[in-house]
Every structure is written in structure tokens, then in C-alpha cells.
Amino acid sequence: MAKNNIILIGFMGAGKSTVARALSHKGKYRVVDLDRLIEAYAGMSITDIFQAQGEAGFRDLEEAALRGLADSRSAIIAAGGGAVLRPGNRELMKQLGAVVYLRARWETLRRRLEGTTDRPLVNQARDADELRLRYLSRAPLYEQADVIVDTDDRPVDEIAVEILEKLGMA
Ligand code: S3P
């Protein structure tokens, strides 16, 4: 049976960490930020992990961190944007609880990602178009979520309330 966690997925810049914090204020849920967990495991920043081990190495750590959450309860888990790439991860997330896709239009994400320095895949991208293609290729994976919430031009509190309503927790 699925557990009672809420897993937030979506592209970089979707607001997963921010919405996670807003959600935790509305209930007795703790926040688990998967990227911070990976950094703690590895003892280095996401940027350094990509540099030392490449994306594949990072994905292995990401999967291990997700597996490490198997016994979690009552957590809001903010997953990294690429956590949906491995089918096994998608299965793990479903087992953890309700998977919520924070959807945003590409224009919104592009704006939010301007000036980003701590996201290797943004830094490595030749141009915005390359990043947009990455977003488009991932969209069908995000859409497999249990719940989809549109986030464009909306205050974070409103997004949090909609999530709780859609999960029958309001
Ligand atoms: C990634 C997203 C990042 C982080 C890493 C890879 C991705 O997390 O996990 O840089 O592949 O989309 P955020 O979505 O929180 O930026």
C-alpha cells in the first residue's frame, strides 16, 4: 500500500522546494529535499558531484537517496527535476505516496531559471532551446503523476491549498 508522503516532481524552477515548505506549514509534515539529502550522503555539492562523477554518477546517488526514504511517513519530498527519469524511481515514488506534478509553462520556467548558477544541467546547456527540449522530453514522465497542479503566476500558498484539496487533505 502507498504511504502517506507527498512527492513533488517537476522541472527545475517549478518551485518544488518552495511549495514543500509552504505545505509543511499547513500540516504536520516534515520536508525532505532530495538534493540536500544527496549532498549530505556524498559530502559535496550537486555541482561537484556532476563534475566528479558526471550525470550518471549523480543519478545513482539520486536513486540510492530515494531508496533510503522507503520507510518514510508524513514527509513532503521535493524530488530533483530528473528524479523521474529512471522507471524504478517512478515506481519508488508511487510507493512512497501521492506524486504531485508542479507544472509550469516553459516561458515561466525559463524566466525562473535565469541567473541560476547551482544547476549543472542549466550551466552546461548551450542555449535555452537545449533546455527546452529537455523539458519537453520529460513532460510525459511528469504527467504520470497522481495529481497535476498548474503553478504559473500563482502565489505559493494558493498552490499548496490546491494540492491539499486535490489530495482530500484540506
Ligand atoms: C536536475 C535538477 C536539480 C538537481 C540536479 C539535476 C535535473 O534539482 O537534482 O541539478 O535533472 O532536472 P531541481 O529540480 O531542484 O533544480
Side-chain angles (χ1 to χ4, degrees):
M1 239 238 331
K3 303 180 183 78
N4 73 337
N5 305 285
I6 299 175
I7 304 93
L8 301 178
I9 63 168
F11 201 68
M12 294 174 277
K16 300 174 295 280
S17 303
T18 314
V19 172
R21 279 194 296 276
L23 275 171
S24 76
H25 292 148
K26 296 193 180 301
K28 292 199 178 67
Y29 279 54
R30 71 194 167 96
V31 174
V32 176
D33 196 302
L34 200 61
D35 281 346
R36 300 294 82 76
L37 207 59
I38 295 165
E39 289 180 328
Y41 271 151
M44 54 177 143
S45 70
I46 302 286
T47 302
D48 288 344
I49 297 170
F50 267 77
Q51 218 152 50
Q53 307 178 29
E55 181 173 349
F58 171 77
R59 296 294 168 213
D60 287 343
L61 288 170
E62 183 171 57
E63 182 174 341
L66 205 51
R67 286 191 188 283
L69 292 176
D71 293 327
S72 285
R73 301 280 190 289
S74 304
I76 318 269
I77 300 165
V84 295
L85 290 172
R86 292 190 175 176
N89 286 0
R90 299 201 292 278
E91 189 51 42
L92 281 170
M93 289 193 252
K94 294 252 177 212
Q95 287 166 10
L96 278 171
V99 181
V100 177
Y101 172 26
L102 299 183
R103 183 163 62 186
R105 289 191 295 268
W106 169 245
E107 268 313 305
T108 303
L109 295 170
R110 193 187 55 77
R111 216 177 329 112
R112 289 187 194 153
L113 290 173
E114 266 169 22
T116 278
T117 54
D118 58 354
R119 290 182 170 104
L121 293 179
V122 174
N123 297 341
Q124 287 165 17
R126 275 186 305 276
D127 51 28
D129 233 32
E130 183 179 313
L131 217 49
R132 184 173 147 271
L133 288 178
R134 195 183 283 276
Y135 160 77
L136 290 175
S137 71
R138 286 181 183 178
L141 304 178
Y142 296 136
E143 307 259 348
Q144 292 174 22
D146 300 303
V147 164
I148 300 178
V149 176
D150 285 306
T151 65
D152 305 274
D153 307 318
R154 296 181 70 193
V156 63
D157 261 0
E158 192 182 299
I159 294 166
V161 168
E162 182 177 334
I163 291 172
L164 294 176
E165 278 172 4
K166 285 191 161 163
L167 296 178
M169 296 166 63

